[in-house]
């Protein structure tokens, strides 16, 4: 599909859907329309590996009955007959579902906030020739950065835009549009005795935040520095976690505060509000209103205004994240964290989740570590048990000796418990870095057992 409906056509069609849903017996309904376009290019050693351009448009219809039953249907054919069938299928699914408590539509207002800067018009102007130029520049920068580079396995660029319209039978109606772009480089390095593959990537709503040379050089630096890695002796160490790896950990922690996980007993944070769950230097927030960031928006997928929610303050658990249904269950207000696709019912998810920065530079933190591990990769974080907090993951990094980073380390395992891990965070660096919708600074964690030799 290369042509989209006009805004007027979308609004008229959506209004008709809502009317049909009510005529069909629904006590309420909402419509989520989404359209967008994206392009991507990937080179392998300078040759085209993948080149794609796509356009999409679709609509999701949710109907609600007064007893809490709800149903959804989705389609990308937007003629009147197809849309009428969507309403009928949504009503059928609704009637065949089980009643749930707290199912409702938002009755406030949807006010777009231009200051959130969700779209960079420069991204929409990128041409195929410019994508090729960017990928070639990344390839050349990586290839010539170090003689140990054997192959630039991938130099990729992706960009796109999306627009959505949401409306309900309670009178909500609003458009929001955004754009994003990303770049990434993966290389293979070798020194005659060992080889390593690694990479680095960036994503942003702003074109000027994507530094392709930095991306290439960072991919090379990470991969080359890992050559010759070997285990260290098993024992307790102070570990220093660089921001990219720390952000993966922060993402896991943020999920533990989503209200459905709490209610279903799938989170170690259940019944912990007001308790000490981390070191006093830990401050974790979910913020859906940070300009330019990937998880930012004026409202969530139920039309509720997004906001800033403190999850951990000075090591104390302060709040969970809610949509309308779970907020009703707990007798609180929605935090504006409803998430859904056109084919799914509203759930709860993070917007932008970040561990706030401290005041010390990473180099100063490392200089105080007598014997430790500078951690650059943790493999298998998805296996962390969200209830007990137990985990055992593979790790890579560099040995720290007397405050200096020395040799590369690989083939080690970190086994711990997330509760202990959070309470053992001794310092937080000043270098907050965003990776998509997650941000973290350098973290120093004491007394962590590393299994090696």
């Amino acid at each position: 599909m290369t042509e989209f409906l006009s805004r007027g056509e979308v609004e008229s069609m959506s209004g008709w859907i809502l009317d049909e849903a009510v005529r069909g017996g629904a006590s309420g309904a909402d419509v989520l329309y989404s359209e967008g376009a994206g392009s991507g290019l990937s080179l392998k050693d300078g040759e085209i590996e993948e080149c794609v351009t796509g356009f999409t448009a679709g609509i999701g219809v949710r109907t609600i009955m007064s007893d809490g039953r709800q149903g959804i249907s989705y389609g990308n054919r937007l003629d009147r007959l197809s849309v009428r069938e969507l309403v009928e299928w949504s009503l059928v699914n609704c009637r065949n579902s089980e009643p749930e408590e707290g199912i409702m539509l938002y009755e406030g207002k949807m006010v777009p906030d231009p200051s959130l800067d969700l779209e960079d018009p420069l991204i929409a102007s990128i041409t195929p020739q410019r994508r090729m130029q960017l990928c070639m520049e990344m390839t050349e920068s990586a290839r010539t950065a170090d003689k140990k580079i054997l192959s630039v396995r991938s130099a990729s660029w992706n960009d796109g835009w999306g627009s959505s319209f949401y409306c309900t039978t309670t009178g909500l109606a609003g458009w929001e549009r955004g754009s994003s772009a990303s770049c990434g480089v993966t290389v293979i390095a070798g020194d005659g005795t060992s080889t390593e593959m690694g990479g680095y990537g960036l994503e942003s709503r702003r074109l000027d935040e994507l530094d392709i040379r930095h991306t290439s050089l960072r991919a090379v630096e990470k991969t080359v520095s890992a050559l010759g890695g070997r285990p260290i002796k098993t024992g307790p160490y102070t570990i220093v976690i660089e921001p990219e790896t720390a952000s993966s950990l922060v993402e896991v922690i943020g999920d533990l505060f989503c209200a459905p996980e709490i209610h279903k007993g799938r989170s170690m944070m259940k019944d912990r509000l007001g308790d000490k769950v981390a070191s006093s230097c830990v401050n974790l927030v979910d913020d859906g209103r940070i300009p330019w960031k990937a998880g930012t928006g004026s409202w969530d997928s139920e039309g509720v205004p997004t906001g800033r929610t403190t999850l951990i303050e000075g090591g104390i658990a302060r709040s969970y994240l809610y949509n309308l249904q779970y907020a009703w269950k707990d007798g609180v207000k929605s935090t504006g964290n409803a998430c859904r696709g056109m084919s799914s019912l509203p759930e709860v998810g993070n917007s932008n989740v970040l561990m706030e920065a401290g005041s010390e530079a990473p180099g100063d933190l490392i200089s105080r570590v007598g014997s430790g591990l500078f951690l650059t990769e943790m493999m298998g974080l998805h296996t962390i048990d969200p209830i007990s907090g137990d985990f055992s993951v593979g790790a890579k990094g560099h040995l720290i000796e007397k405050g200096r980073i020395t040799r590369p380390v690989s083939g080690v395992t970190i086994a711990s418990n997330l509760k202990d891990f959070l309470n053992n965070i001794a310092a937080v660096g000043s270098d907050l870095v965003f990776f998509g919708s997650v941000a973290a600074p350098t973290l120093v964690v004491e007394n962590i057992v590393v299994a090696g030799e």
Side-chain angles (χ1 to χ4, degrees):
M1 179 176 181
T2 58
E3 294 183 3
F4 301 106
L5 299 178
S6 69
R7 287 198 169 192
E9 289 172 324
V10 171
E11 292 169 8
S12 176
M13 175 182 64
S14 299
W16 179 84
I17 290 172
L18 296 179
D19 290 341
E20 286 294 296
V22 172
R23 278 194 288 269
S27 62
D30 65 11
V31 172
L32 178 61
Y33 170 84
S34 179
E35 63 183 28
S39 298
L41 176 66
S42 177
L43 304 184
K44 179 181 179 182
D45 290 318
E47 299 295 326
I48 294 177
E49 184 176 42
E50 185 177 41
C51 181
V52 295
T53 295
F55 305 86
T56 183
I59 193 163
V61 180
R62 180 172 62 133
T63 50
I64 299 172
M65 296 296 177
S66 58
D67 61 359
R69 287 177 293 167
Q70 57 180 340
I72 196 161
S73 62
Y74 159 76
N76 54 18
R77 297 180 63 180
L78 304 178
D79 59 276
R80 181 57 65 95
L81 178 61
S82 298
V83 171
R84 183 188 295 275
E85 290 178 349
L86 282 183
V87 178
E88 293 171 354
W89 274 112
S90 180
L91 288 167
V92 168
N93 293 333
C94 184
R95 295 188 184 102
N96 290 328
S97 67
E98 293 295 324
E100 295 183 64
E101 291 185 318
I103 302 300
M104 65 186 71
L105 296 170
Y106 183 55
E107 296 185 357
K109 294 182 179 181
M110 294 173 64
V111 182
D113 186 351
S115 70
L116 298 180
D117 291 324
L118 302 179
E119 183 178 20
D120 184 347
L122 293 176
I123 290 178
S125 66
I126 295 175
T127 63
Q129 293 77 14
R130 180 55 178 160
R131 289 186 199 99
M132 176 63 75
Q133 181 184 5
L134 292 166
C135 288
M136 289 299 295
E137 288 179 11
M138 285 188 284
T139 298
E140 187 64 14
S141 293
R143 185 183 65 80
T144 59
D146 194 292
K147 61 183 180 181
K148 295 185 179 69
I149 296 300
L150 305 178
S151 169
V152 182
R153 178 62 186 81
S154 174
S156 62
W157 178 275
N158 293 276
D159 58 74
W161 64 268
S163 184
S164 65
F165 176 71
Y166 180 71
C167 64
T168 72
T169 51
T170 57
L172 297 184
W175 284 91
E176 195 144 70
R177 179 182 168 107
S179 61
S180 66
S182 63
C183 60
V185 175
T186 301
V187 297
I188 298 174
D191 58 6
T193 58
S194 64
T195 60
E196 286 282 343
M197 183 168 72
Y200 187 74
L202 292 172
E203 176 188 355
S204 180
R205 290 185 183 274
R206 289 181 59 165
L207 196 59
D208 61 7
E209 287 186 348
L210 297 183
D211 186 332
I212 59 172
R213 178 171 173 77
H214 169 76
T215 301
S216 301
L217 297 183
R218 184 75 181 107
V220 170
E221 177 190 6
K222 287 182 62 177
T223 309
V224 171
S225 67
L227 287 168
R230 62 185 192 277
I232 54 179
K233 291 183 178 180
T234 297
Y237 290 84
T238 295
I239 61 174
V240 181
I241 312 176
E242 57 89 34
E244 185 176 12
T245 303
S247 69
S248 298
L249 188 62
V250 167
E251 185 173 17
V252 172
I253 298 168
D255 289 340
L256 298 174
F257 287 86
C258 293
E261 306 307 303
I262 301 297
H263 277 254
K264 296 171 185 177
R266 299 190 303 217
S267 170
M268 56 182 273
M269 294 299 169
K270 180 179 174 63
D271 299 324
R272 296 303 306 276
L273 294 187
D275 293 348
K276 183 178 184 296
V277 298
S279 163
S280 60
C281 63
V282 173
N283 296 283
L284 186 72
V285 301
D286 181 278
D287 193 338
R289 305 192 75 82
I290 306 175
W292 291 114
K293 299 309 177 186
T296 294
S298 297
W299 48 75
D300 69 3
S301 61
E302 292 179 315
V304 178
T306 55
R308 176 184 173 90
T309 305
T310 298
L311 306 178
I312 301 177
E313 181 181 31
I316 307 299
R318 294 300 187 193
S319 178
Y320 300 134
L321 299 174
Y322 293 98
N323 64 1
L324 289 170
Q325 180 185 14
Y326 282 91
W328 180 88
K329 289 183 176 184
D330 282 2
V332 297
K333 291 183 178 181
S334 171
T335 57
N337 284 88
C339 61
R340 82 175 249 209
M342 285 179 288
S343 59
S344 61
L345 297 171
E347 265 294 341
V348 179
N350 292 112
S351 53
N352 299 298
V353 60
L354 59 147
M355 186 172 290
E356 293 186 331
S359 59
E360 295 187 84
D364 294 336
L365 297 177
I366 293 170
S367 69
R368 296 203 300 268
V369 177
S371 176
L373 177 63
F374 181 67
L375 208 58
T376 58
E377 188 172 352
M378 295 176 75
M379 295 157 282
L381 285 174
H382 65 282
T383 64
I384 293 177
D385 188 318
I387 302 172
S388 69
D390 291 336
F391 67 89
S392 179
V393 298
K396 287 184 177 182
H398 293 79
L399 184 63
I400 302 175
E401 299 176 286
K402 298 179 180 179
R404 294 180 60 250
I405 293 177
T406 55
R407 69 172 179 85
V409 173
S410 63
V412 298
T413 300
I414 294 176
S416 185
N417 181 279
L418 198 54
K419 299 174 185 177
D420 298 332
F421 197 91
L422 286 169
N423 278 287
N424 288 350
I425 295 176
V428 178
S430 59
D431 54 336
L432 185 72
V433 184
F434 267 90
F435 296 90
S437 60
V438 184
T442 296
L443 303 179
V444 179
V445 191
E446 295 179 337
N447 197 32
I448 298 298
V449 175
V450 178
E453 295 177 335

